[in-house]
Structures are given as structure tokens and as C-alpha cells.
Amino acid sequence: MISGFEKLNEAKRFVQSKVSTFPDFLIVLGSGLSNLLNEIQVETEIPYQDIPHVAQTSVEGHVSRLVVGKLGGVRVACMQGRLHFYEGLKMEEVVFPFRVFGMCGAKVFFLTNAAGALHPDMRPADLVLIKDHINLMGTNPLVGKNLDSLGTRFPDMTHLYDPELRGIVSQTAKKLAMELREGIYVGLNGPSYETPAEIRMYQTDRKSTRLNSSHVKR
């Protein structure tokens, strides 16, 4: 039986056969951000279904392809569509593409998505820079046999969302006169929206711990 690491290496070799030098920057295009592809000078497009061992998404609107090209003069790789745990996939399948692209050379992961909010002052379409998260999904992508070549068994999560990179994003938002909030992301299984009682519970937790704002995973 082929091991998890062998699957990763097989997928890595395929991607590298299509993209000899993988970009340092990987952008995940969340809901409503596919138009960003119109700004990219496309070099290569790779459907996820062509990459060995990558599961297929069943979510409407997720095209499922990797687009590599230049954005503002900088080479980037964009994930149009992503996998979700609520699709019935294993967590290792959900994170598999990220591990592959990381092995290919991606160093900065810029993740985006559309989410609900718990803070009463939040409005639809507000932009939020995530500074931390609370995992309420009942599982973890690191569960199972550890792949030592990918990292330690017990990674330090203190600066998971890199302070230097967040500082760059904040300063850029100020230069562009864009309002940018900062918040903590609450990760839930989905796909159903939260009940009123659940929302009140999370809001109570937010008040008790003085969180600035929280996002609920869809």
C-alpha cells in the first residue's frame, strides 16, 4: 500500500513537471475572489483532477484548478477552489494540496474565504485580517502518523499567523485607505449554518475572553 509520503512525492513530481519553478506565494481564492484571475498573466493552469491523489471538491462554484502566473509583476500560484472537511473527506485529504504545494516551494500562504461574524459591529463585506483561530472542528490535520519530513510532531502555534506578514497587510491597507478589521477565526465543521443558540454561546465566549471579533467557518 502506498504511503502518505509517497503520495505527496508523486503529486509533487507531477506539479513540478508542469511548473519547474514554483512561486513563493500561494493564494487561496475564497468565495467571490475568482475575478482576481482576470488580473493574472497566466503561465500554467492545472486542474486538481490531474494531480495524483488530490480529492475532488463537490462544492458549487469551486472550479478546482491551480493557476500559476504573474500578479502585479510577482509570480504567484492561485488555488481556485479548495476542499472542505464537510464534503465527507478525511482531514488529510483536505490539507493534501497545501502540503504538496509547500513541498514544491510555496513559502507564503495567503488564505481567503467568506465567513459569518459574531461581533455585533461587523457588516457584510467587511475585510478581516485573522490573527489567531479557535479549532472547534473536533479534529486536527496533524492527527495520525507524523510525517517528520514535513514538520515536528508538536508544532508551536504561537505565531501561526505570521506577525511580520500581518504587519505588511495592515500597512498596505492603510496606504490604500481600506478599512481592515482584525479578528479571531472560529473553525466549525459545517455545512449547516449555526443555530441561534450556538451563535449566542460563541458570542458569550467572545465577551468573556474579550476577543475583538470572530469568524465562523462555513
Side-chain angles (χ1 to χ4, degrees), residues 29 37 138 154 187 189:
L29 301 176
L37 294 177
F154 304 106
N189 278 354

Side-chain angles (χ1 to χ4, degrees), residues 149-203:
S149 59
L150 299 184
T152 178
R153 169 83 279 185
F154 304 106
D156 184 357
M157 304 286 280
T158 305
H159 299 300
L160 179 64
Y161 301 89
D162 187 87
E164 182 178 357
L165 294 176
R166 288 194 293 110
I168 293 173
V169 174
S170 295
Q171 290 300 317
T172 301
K174 288 180 181 179
K175 290 179 181 179
L176 297 175
M178 295 175 60
E179 182 179 1
L180 180 66
R181 295 175 178 268
E182 191 174 67
I184 295 174
Y185 191 91
V186 179
L188 301 167
N189 278 354
S192 61
Y193 292 116
E194 294 66 44
T195 67
E198 289 172 334
I199 292 173
R200 288 194 298 271
M201 179 183 70
Y202 301 137
Q203 287 176 325

Side-chain angles (χ1 to χ4, degrees), residues 3-211:
S3 69
F5 190 65
E6 290 171 329
K7 289 181 179 179
L8 287 168
N9 269 320
E10 187 175 339
K12 172 189 173 183
R13 288 192 295 270
F14 175 83
V15 173
Q16 289 181 327
S17 72
K18 303 295 183 180
V19 185
S20 57
T21 303
F22 202 87
D24 290 339
F25 299 93
L26 178 72
I27 304 174
V28 178
L29 301 176
S31 301
L33 290 182
S34 292
N35 287 339
L36 184 65
L37 294 177
N38 297 331
E39 307 297 325
I40 293 180
Q41 299 176 22
V42 177
E43 297 176 9
T44 307
E45 296 183 7
I46 307 175
Y48 293 166
Q49 64 185 17
D50 292 351
I51 304 175
H53 311 296
V54 172
Q56 300 305 301
T57 181
S58 61
V59 179
E60 183 179 352
H62 285 250
V63 179
S64 301
R65 61 175 173 168
L66 179 74
V67 179
V68 177
K70 283 188 177 181
L71 178 64
V74 178
R75 290 187 76 245
V76 299
C78 291
M79 292 179 64
Q80 185 180 14
R82 55 189 167 81
L83 303 173
H84 303 77
F85 185 57
Y86 63 70
E87 294 179 75
L89 301 173
K90 297 178 181 178
M91 189 59 76
E92 65 185 67
E93 293 177 305
V94 175
V95 302
F96 185 88
F98 294 96
R99 289 175 169 171
V100 171
F101 301 146
M103 291 172 65
C104 287
K107 297 179 177 62
V108 176
F109 289 65
F110 197 94
L111 312 180
T112 70
N113 83 318
L118 296 174
H119 198 289
D121 294 335
M122 291 288 291
R123 303 181 304 274
D126 276 355
L127 296 177
V128 180
L129 180 62
I130 303 301
K131 65 178 181 179
D132 205 345
H133 74 242
I134 300 173
N135 181 5
L136 296 180
M137 300 183 71
T139 186
N140 188 301
L142 301 182
V143 169
K145 179 177 174 57
N146 190 59
L147 299 177
D148 295 333
S149 59
L150 299 184
T152 178
R153 169 83 279 185
F154 304 106
D156 184 357
M157 304 286 280
T158 305
H159 299 300
L160 179 64
Y161 301 89
D162 187 87
E164 182 178 357
L165 294 176
R166 288 194 293 110
I168 293 173
V169 174
S170 295
Q171 290 300 317
T172 301
K174 288 180 181 179
K175 290 179 181 179
L176 297 175
M178 295 175 60
E179 182 179 1
L180 180 66
R181 295 175 178 268
E182 191 174 67
I184 295 174
Y185 191 91
V186 179
L188 301 167
N189 278 354
S192 61
Y193 292 116
E194 294 66 44
T195 67
E198 289 172 334
I199 292 173
R200 288 194 298 271
M201 179 183 70
Y202 301 137
Q203 287 176 325
T204 299
D205 288 343
R206 179 188 64 80
K207 293 175 183 177
S208 64
T209 55
R210 298 181 180 179
L211 302 181

